[in-house]
Amino acid sequence: MNILDDLKLQYKIGGISQQIIYWNVAFFVIPYVLFAVLALFSVNIDFLKYVSLSSNPADLLWKPWSIITYAFFHSGFLHLLFNMLVLNFSSRLFLTYFTQKQFLNLYFVGSIFAGIIYICCYFLFPSLAHLNVSLVGASGAIMGILFAVAAYSPFMEVRLLLIGNVKLWHIAFFLIIIDLIQLPLENTGGHLAHLGGALFGYLYIKQLQRGNDLGSWFSNTIDAVVSAFGKQKATPFKRVHRNYAPKPEITVSKIVSKDKAQQQIDEILDKISQSGYDSLTKEEKEFLFKAGK
């Protein structure tokens, strides 16, 4: 199995959180490489201008997609790296209690909510109203995920490198204080998005505990679109001639072979859930890749 096949397998079995990390990395690497090549031919395009979220609400009229795309693009490598590390950390905690679909809902709808808070603050606060800035980064959505878990299980203990065990609400409280302190100093828009995402994460969990999923409309919309465009053509009727001669040896052999293969897949998936994908041997990775085709 080569590196590309390994990445494909990790993407396929890693779940929605792993896939969102892949999307963020792809949306960072591909445009920067592409436009770096174009710059050699004197074609200079500021692509972030078209995907970033502007503090001017009027800009949504010509780039309405930016209320979502801003959460998948980053301004630099360190910006991307830090956000993806926190996203990986937060997603593992969130998926301990909640489903993949709820994670997807929270990420997307949380980023939209954080973006709306960001725009409203620049529109309403006199000290910000005269500024025209742009926002990129997944941190608003990530804060929503982290604060959702903190609201649900605030006393969960998390082990941090060089620090030791701390309660989850301590981490959430520290991040809020940092955002509030830096709010008037630098990256005001980013900190406003952080606070908006954190607020939505808290509201999401409180409503979910009452039986209301604030992000269900998003997954319902995705399901409707997929069902509308993903319908396959009906298979035409074919006459089938069946041979009813009993072949017990072949039937049993197929069932046994299928059971053994499925049992091996289940054992590998259990190993992944306990120790992670990297704990698999080369042979186990190749077997799982072939089984997924």
Side-chain angles (χ1 to χ4, degrees), residues 248-262:
E249 296 80 9
I250 296 177
T251 303
V252 171
S253 176
K254 287 182 178 180
I255 293 175
V256 171
S257 175
K258 182 177 179 181
D259 287 344
K260 287 183 177 179
Q262 186 60 50

Side-chain angles (χ1 to χ4, degrees), residues 81-111:
L81 178 62
F82 180 77
N83 274 352
M84 294 305 98
L85 289 174
V86 180
L87 176 57
N88 183 62
F89 168 78
S90 304
S91 64
R92 289 176 181 271
L93 298 180
F94 184 88
L95 293 172
T96 302
Y97 301 105
F98 305 104
T99 66
Q100 301 273 342
K101 179 172 286 189
Q102 289 167 333
F103 178 89
L104 183 67
N105 290 343
L106 181 53
Y107 185 92
F108 276 88
V109 183
S111 66

Side-chain angles (χ1 to χ4, degrees), residues 47-70 132-136:
F47 69 94
L48 287 180
K49 174 183 177 182
Y50 300 97
V51 297
S52 60
L53 183 61
S54 173
S55 60
N56 183 2
D59 287 343
L60 284 174
L61 296 176
W62 70 272
K63 52 173 185 176
W65 55 83
S66 63
I67 194 67
I68 291 179
T69 57
Y70 87 92
N132 190 356
V133 297
S134 297
L135 176 69
V136 290

Side-chain angles (χ1 to χ4, degrees), residues 39-264:
L40 298 176
F41 298 92
S42 299
V43 179
N44 297 301
I45 301 176
D46 182 13
F47 69 94
L48 287 180
K49 174 183 177 182
Y50 300 97
V51 297
S52 60
L53 183 61
S54 173
S55 60
N56 183 2
D59 287 343
L60 284 174
L61 296 176
W62 70 272
K63 52 173 185 176
W65 55 83
S66 63
I67 194 67
I68 291 179
T69 57
Y70 87 92
F72 287 90
F73 288 84
H74 293 80
S75 59
F77 175 74
L78 291 180
H79 187 202
L80 172 72
L81 178 62
F82 180 77
N83 274 352
M84 294 305 98
L85 289 174
V86 180
L87 176 57
N88 183 62
F89 168 78
S90 304
S91 64
R92 289 176 181 271
L93 298 180
F94 184 88
L95 293 172
T96 302
Y97 301 105
F98 305 104
T99 66
Q100 301 273 342
K101 179 172 286 189
Q102 289 167 333
F103 178 89
L104 183 67
N105 290 343
L106 181 53
Y107 185 92
F108 276 88
V109 183
S111 66
I112 294 173
F113 185 88
I116 292 174
I117 292 295
Y118 156 80
I119 292 175
C120 289
C121 289
Y122 272 89
F123 183 74
L124 296 175
F125 295 155
S127 62
L128 302 176
H130 65 287
L131 301 176
N132 190 356
V133 297
S134 297
L135 176 69
V136 290
S139 50
I142 296 170
M143 286 286 280
I145 295 167
L146 181 60
F147 272 75
V149 189
Y152 183 78
S153 182
F155 299 104
M156 172 196 288
E157 286 198 348
V158 179
R159 184 171 183 81
L160 298 180
L161 187 65
L162 303 179
I163 297 177
N165 292 343
V166 296
K167 290 182 172 59
L168 190 54
W169 78 265
H170 292 159
I171 299 176
F173 181 75
F174 174 77
L175 292 176
I176 285 292
I177 293 300
I178 292 297
D179 279 321
L180 291 174
I181 291 174
Q182 293 189 328
L183 193 59
L185 302 178
E186 60 178 357
N187 190 24
T188 300
H191 295 300
L192 288 171
H194 295 175
L195 296 173
L199 174 61
F200 183 79
Y202 175 83
L203 295 175
Y204 180 85
I205 287 302
K206 292 306 176 183
Q207 286 299 308
L208 195 63
Q209 289 174 327
R210 298 176 182 177
N212 303 317
D213 187 341
L214 295 178
S216 60
W217 64 268
F218 178 81
S219 57
N220 291 339
T221 301
I222 296 298
D223 291 341
V225 171
V226 170
S227 63
F229 292 95
K231 291 181 178 179
Q232 298 180 351
K233 294 182 179 180
T235 303
F237 173 78
K238 293 181 181 179
R239 180 180 292 275
V240 178
H241 297 278
R242 296 181 179 178
N243 185 356
Y244 291 97
K247 297 180 180 180
E249 296 80 9
I250 296 177
T251 303
V252 171
S253 176
K254 287 182 178 180
I255 293 175
V256 171
S257 175
K258 182 177 179 181
D259 287 344
K260 287 183 177 179
Q262 186 60 50
Q263 182 179 359
Q264 188 172 354

